[in-house]
Amino acid sequence: MTLKLTFPNGEHEPVLLGQGRTAIGTGSDCQIMLAAPGIALRHCDIEVRGNSVILHVPDASNVVVLNGKQAGVETLVKAGDLLIFAKVGCQVMAAPIPAPSTPLPRPTTQMSDGDDGRTRVRQALPKYILRGVSGPTFGKTYALVGTMVVGRQPDCDIPIIAEEISRQHARLQVTPDGVMVEDMGSANGTFVNDKRVHTALLKPGEELRMDTVRFMLMSPGMEAPKPAAPVAASAPAAKSGGVGAGLWIAIIFGTLLLGAAIAHHYGVF
């Protein structure tokens, strides 16, 4: 048996994985070209090495999700796995190796558009992503799916090897309105927007901090909020000041004219 990649939403034709590396990205030299937002020039490689299939992610900032979790630098792949490249989902499927004399069958549209496969891929799409902005997590991304534990222990869903992080530091649960953060009795505390919390709702664009390790919660494809235009506070003041100055000038000028008229009447001039 060998493996093939199918793209239920039609971003690419099914691809049979042969020995060696298959490059995935937007570059023209990639065997699988995916022209979609968030896909890097060389997003990742899938290598068939004997009976092993290995996923290589050259840059931690490239979002590659394997079965709901951010893939590491090198990760084993097997039949039945679900892969997501940025926002493009695909399914790893077993395919029989045809006899040498038999040409490879061309996959049909019905195979790539199966309802069952499409539904499972959409369920695996991460709604939120944690992006590290300091310390050992800087530049790394972590896909959030369901309930996940962050801590120093290697068996945590998001392991962070740092002394300031507790063995099981915080629990993150994805909800329709954001990510519910629960501190698990950590020594150095869990903070949302620099406020220490026991439980709190973290929303996209907000900061999660565990002692000195900081993250930003992102949602795939979300637009950064545009800064509000500064209010020109000086404009009304200038307008008010201008009216007042004109009024005083008119009063002074009128007083001078009245004084001159009275002086002329009594022969002062």
Side-chain angles (χ1 to χ4, degrees), residues 7 40 49 84 95 136 186 188 190 197-198 200 206 215 224 237 251 266:
F7 296 82
R49 189 189 301 167
I84 302 171
S186 66
N188 296 322
T190 301
V197 300
H198 175 65
E206 294 184 336
F215 302 89
I251 292 173
Y266 286 101

Side-chain angles (χ1 to χ4, degrees), residues 130 177-181 192 200-204 206-208 217:
L130 274 184
D177 300 320
V179 176
M180 185 61 66
V181 178
V192 171
L201 184 65
L202 182 70
K203 295 184 178 182
E206 294 184 336
E207 182 182 275
L208 172 66
L217 183 67

Side-chain angles (χ1 to χ4, degrees), residues 1-3 16-19 48 50-51 94-105:
M1 299 290 288
T2 188
L3 297 181
L16 194 67
L17 297 176
Q19 290 291 324
V48 178
N51 293 326
I97 301 176
S101 59
T102 305
L104 292 176

